């Protein structure tokens, strides 16, 4: 009986595979990478991205410079054309425990990327550039509880699908954990902002969006921030941050909590370290 069932199933599969009624999925894929078709001018210089299935993509754009534990500053300008083809570094962080679970690692396909202090990078996906159109802009704040994560850590953080729906999608990396939120103000004037430089990075990224997104086909007066878990918490934080006022106009908090420490707790943690 098992043999008969197996043969019947095999025959049915063969017939289906030969039938003209089997849906045919598109197999074409267009990728354009050159020095002319995806050029965008920013305040720092000219960027060259790539076009994939009609979506202009720019990865690893530097939106700020910063020394460890110090406030971010505007990035340095450059001459000529700078490529923006792959994600920039993410903040130093502990190894992800989920890699120890084979099933969970397979399910999520985490990408820990490369890590460094030089982590102030963002990415842009858009359906058109330099065309004067005012597409709505959405800025994604990744999860990870303020301690880990990155804009490139999960496959579904890719912004192409939203860009195909007419959105200009921006995602960002910023400082996390003790590198972004450790209060060292008692240890010198240059560290006076150390307990909040992670949020200051986010604001610098929003300032970059405000100044440059029009050339990527986006509307700087129609910006939505959104994030999940720790990213939702960051949304709440920016809603309460005066320096972020006017840099975004709508907010979506997806399963997020605030979760920030007060100054005394952060200073006490610095003493313990």
């Amino acid at each position: 009986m098992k043999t008969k069932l197996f043969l019947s199933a095999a025959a049915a599969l063969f017939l289906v595979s030969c039938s003209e009624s089997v849906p045919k999925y598109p197999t074409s894929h267009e990728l354009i990478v050159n020095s002319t078709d995806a050029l965008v001018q920013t305040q720092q210089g000219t960027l060259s991205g790539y076009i994939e299935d009609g979506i202009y993509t720019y990865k690893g754009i530097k939106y700020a410079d910063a020394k460890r534990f110090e406030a971010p500053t505007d990035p340095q300008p450059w001459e000529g054309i700078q490529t923006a083809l792959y994600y920039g570094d993410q903040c130093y962080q502990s190894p992800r425990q989920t890699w120890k679970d084979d099933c969970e690692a397979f399910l999520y396909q985490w990408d820990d990327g490369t890590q460094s202090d030089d982590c102030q990078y963002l990415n842009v996906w858009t359906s058109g550039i330099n065309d004067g159109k005012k597409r709505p802009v959405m800025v994604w704040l990744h999860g990870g509880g303020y301690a880990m994560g990155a804009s490139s850590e999960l496959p579904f953080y890719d912004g192409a699908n939203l860009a195909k729906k007419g959105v200009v999608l921006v995602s960002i990396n910023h400082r996390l954990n003790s590198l972004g939120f450790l209060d060292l103000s008692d240890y010198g004037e240059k560290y006076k902002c150390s307990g909040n430089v992670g949020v200051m990075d986010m604001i610098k990224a929003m300032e970059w969006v405000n100044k440059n997104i029009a050339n990527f086909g986006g509307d700087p007066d129609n910006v939505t921030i959104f994030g999940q878990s720790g990213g939702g918490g960051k949304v709440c934080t920016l809603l309460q941050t005066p320096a972020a006022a006017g840099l975004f106009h709508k907010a979506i908090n997806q399963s997020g909590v605030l979760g920030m420490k007060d100054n005394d707790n952060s200073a006490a943690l610095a003493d313990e370290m």
Side-chain angles (χ1 to χ4, degrees), residues 214-233:
N215 288 348
F216 293 83
D219 184 357
D221 295 319
N222 185 8
V223 178
T224 299
I225 59 172
F226 70 124
Q228 180 267 340
S229 191

Side-chain angles (χ1 to χ4, degrees), residues 52-243:
E52 186 168 11
D53 293 335
I55 298 303
Y56 294 79
T57 304
Y58 304 82
K59 295 177 179 177
I61 302 173
K62 191 70 171 154
Y63 68 80
D65 293 323
K67 296 181 180 178
R68 181 174 284 194
F69 301 126
E70 296 184 29
T73 59
D74 290 333
Q76 291 296 311
W78 62 85
E79 295 182 0
I81 298 173
Q82 185 174 102
T83 56
L85 303 176
Y86 197 70
Y87 296 108
D89 289 355
Q90 62 191 53
C91 183
Y92 284 122
Q93 54 196 266
S94 300
R96 191 175 298 281
Q97 294 301 306
T98 48
W99 280 120
K100 297 179 180 179
D101 185 329
D102 183 61
C103 293
E104 190 166 351
F106 173 78
L107 176 64
Y108 286 102
Q109 296 290 306
W110 300 99
D111 181 2
D112 288 338
T114 54
Q115 303 177 3
S116 75
D117 278 315
D118 181 30
C119 63
Q120 292 81 16
Y121 293 94
L122 57 76
N123 319 292
V124 180
W125 291 263
T126 179
S127 58
I129 59 172
N130 306 315
D131 56 9
K133 293 186 177 180
K134 294 188 175 183
R135 299 172 181 86
V137 179
M138 297 187 74
V139 179
W140 172 249
L141 305 173
H142 67 77
Y146 297 83
M148 62 181 64
S151 62
S152 58
E153 66 176 333
L154 292 168
F156 46 82
Y157 284 2
D158 185 284
N161 283 336
L162 279 173
K164 289 175 182 177
K165 295 182 181 295
V167 169
V168 177
L169 194 286
V170 180
S171 63
I172 71 172
N173 288 352
H174 59 88
R175 280 175 284 185
L176 303 162
N177 49 67
S178 59
L179 294 172
F181 302 101
L182 185 65
D183 185 358
L184 298 171
S185 56
D186 289 342
Y187 298 89
E189 177 67 17
K190 67 179 180 178
Y191 301 134
K192 66 180 181 180
C193 299
S194 61
N196 213 24
V197 292
V199 174
M200 296 176 75
D201 284 355
M202 290 183 243
I203 293 171
K204 269 295 178 189
M206 299 300 301
E207 290 176 352
W208 185 96
V209 169
N210 180 263
K211 296 173 182 177
N212 295 286
I213 208 63
N215 288 348
F216 293 83
D219 184 357
D221 295 319
N222 185 8
V223 178
T224 299
I225 59 172
F226 70 124
Q228 180 267 340
S229 191
K234 296 166 194 174
V235 169
C236 291
T237 298
L238 291 175
L239 283 167
Q240 302 177 71
T241 303

